[in-house]
Amino acid sequence: MESIKCLIIGSGPAGYTAAIYAGRANLNPVLYTGMQMGGQLTQTTIVENFPGYPEGVDANQMMGELQEQAKRFGTDIRFGVITKVDFSKRPYILITDNGDELEAETIIIATGASAKYLGLDDEKKYNGQGVSACATCDGFFYRKKTVAVVGGGDTACEEATYLAQLCEKVYMIVRKPFLRASDIMKKRVEGNPKIEILYEHNAVGLYGENGVEGAHLVKRMGEHDEERYDLPIDGFFLAIGHKPNTDVFRDWLELDETGYIKTQGDSPRTNIPGVFAAGDCADPHYRQAIVAAGSGCKAALEAERYLQSLT
């Protein structure tokens, strides 16, 4: 069995930043990338809101540079997935998808969260070409254009309100005849002249030659007065929630009702000593690369202090 001082799970901004700090602290970090090397960010195209890139940067390029920086400080980066853990006693035991057994003194979990999609083939077809799950990340590209937001909860209302500051017109595609959002968010979107709410609507497809040019909609699907029509739009934003990638830790860590890892106060500490959480897997609120990177820094600093406390 291989013994590891600091094991990092995940290769997004949180994981790589944790690796940079852990490497500089001589913790000899080992990082398992997960299935999606580079994390959620690699699903977008240009990143314009990460400090240090005044002209924006290709998302894959940025994550590649973070990876190289982590390597520079001695991080052992391995492509693989952690499939089972045992946090009952130190050192903690983890098993990879190849069946390798690892024991780790400290663990930084940075497995991220996955945006929920409708499951349409067109969502994959136009990913990065008009389909997005992050208005804050990509809204800038749709200034003075027409977009649609799918969802009827607080997140969808927040995304629609944000986009209305940039876009000419924002449609909200809401499956139910009402918004699930809080009263204050309902009033905000209902009172915004740029936002039009399409109740009892389902998006069943997208169309366009070189990117999204419109959505195929169905009003009152399955009812006697069902109506199908096409809605011209330039961007299609999903706001139906995220699923944190934390199932493998469910038996050991305290999670909230959605599955996000609970941390202690504003620290990355979990309920298990020496196990820390960073990035979107522990952040249901912000879900931004810069916030994830900062939390990865905090997790590595805490891991270093924890190891020092044992000596």
Side-chain angles (χ1 to χ4, degrees):
M1 186 182 296
E2 182 182 6
S3 295
I4 297 169
K5 190 181 289 186
C6 179
L7 179 69
I8 300 167
I9 310 171
S11 58
Y16 282 143
T17 303
I20 291 165
Y21 275 80
R24 283 169 54 84
N26 295 318
L27 301 187
N28 304 314
V30 173
L31 183 149
Y32 275 81
T33 63
M35 286 301 293
Q36 190 174 23
M37 186 180 288
Q40 279 189 91
L41 212 59
T42 57
Q43 292 187 332
T44 188
T45 49
I46 303 297
V47 177
E48 292 199 322
N49 55 3
F50 199 94
Y53 297 99
E55 302 301 321
V57 61
D58 177 83
N60 285 281
Q61 176 192 334
M62 189 179 95
M63 296 315 300
E65 289 171 351
L66 281 174
Q67 184 188 78
E68 288 305 311
Q69 195 171 358
K71 285 181 179 177
R72 179 188 164 208
F73 294 112
T75 305
D76 181 353
I77 296 175
R78 305 174 183 177
F79 186 77
V81 177
I82 301 300
T83 57
K84 190 175 181 182
V85 302
D86 181 351
F87 292 165
S88 59
K89 64 181 187 301
R90 286 189 41 250
Y92 304 119
I93 307 300
L94 304 96
I95 298 173
T96 73
D97 52 345
N98 289 330
D100 298 329
E101 284 196 30
L102 315 168
E103 59 176 25
E105 291 294 320
T106 59
I107 299 164
I108 296 173
I109 299 168
T111 48
S114 301
K116 294 179 182 177
Y117 286 82
L118 297 174
L120 307 175
D121 289 339
D122 288 339
E123 288 172 319
K124 296 176 183 175
K125 178 180 176 181
Y126 294 107
N127 193 23
Q129 299 181 68
V131 171
S132 172
C134 180
T136 314
C137 310
D138 300 325
F140 185 78
F141 301 113
Y142 298 91
R143 285 174 300 168
K144 298 183 180 178
K145 294 186 176 182
T146 299
V147 300
V149 174
V150 180
D154 277 349
T155 299
C157 290
E158 287 171 9
E159 302 269 91
T161 303
Y162 174 79
L163 289 166
Q165 299 174 57
L166 303 167
C167 302
E168 189 72 32
K169 175 81 173 180
V170 179
Y171 292 100
M172 288 187 70
I173 302 172
V174 182
R175 184 168 49 90
K176 296 183 178 181
F178 56 87
L179 292 172
R180 293 182 293 103
S182 57
D183 286 343
I184 189 167
M185 292 307 298
K186 285 181 191 174
K187 289 175 183 175
R188 198 168 290 171
V189 295
E190 288 169 349
N192 193 314
K194 284 190 174 182
I195 299 174
E196 182 177 342
I197 306 170
L198 304 177
Y199 291 110
E200 295 185 274
H201 276 69
N202 284 269
V204 295
L206 302 168
Y207 62 89
E209 289 296 320
N210 299 306
V212 170
E213 295 176 8
H216 302 302
L217 301 184
V218 182
K219 182 179 181 181
R220 292 179 56 78
M221 181 182 279
E223 301 296 327
H224 71 279
D225 56 350
E226 175 183 291
E227 180 186 346
R228 292 176 178 261
Y229 65 97
D230 290 343
L231 179 71
I233 54 172
D234 303 296
F236 186 77
F237 288 85
L238 281 304
I240 54 177
H242 285 72
K243 184 184 185 303
N245 304 317
T246 57
D247 286 351
V248 69
F249 311 110
R250 187 169 293 278
D251 292 340
W252 304 100
L253 298 183
E254 290 182 4
L255 309 177
D256 72 8
E257 63 278 2
T258 312
Y260 288 94
I261 298 171
K262 290 184 178 181
T263 53
Q264 298 174 5
D266 64 351
S267 82
R269 296 188 295 272
T270 70
N271 59 298
I272 303 289
V275 178
F276 308 95
D280 286 11
C281 66
D283 177 13
H285 302 295
Y286 300 108
R287 296 192 298 269
Q288 297 297 304
I290 188 64
V291 178
S295 69
C297 160
K298 289 162 64 174
L301 292 174
E302 287 286 349
E304 180 187 9
R305 291 168 185 163
Y306 175 78
L307 288 168
Q308 289 173 345
S309 74
L310 300 177
T311 57

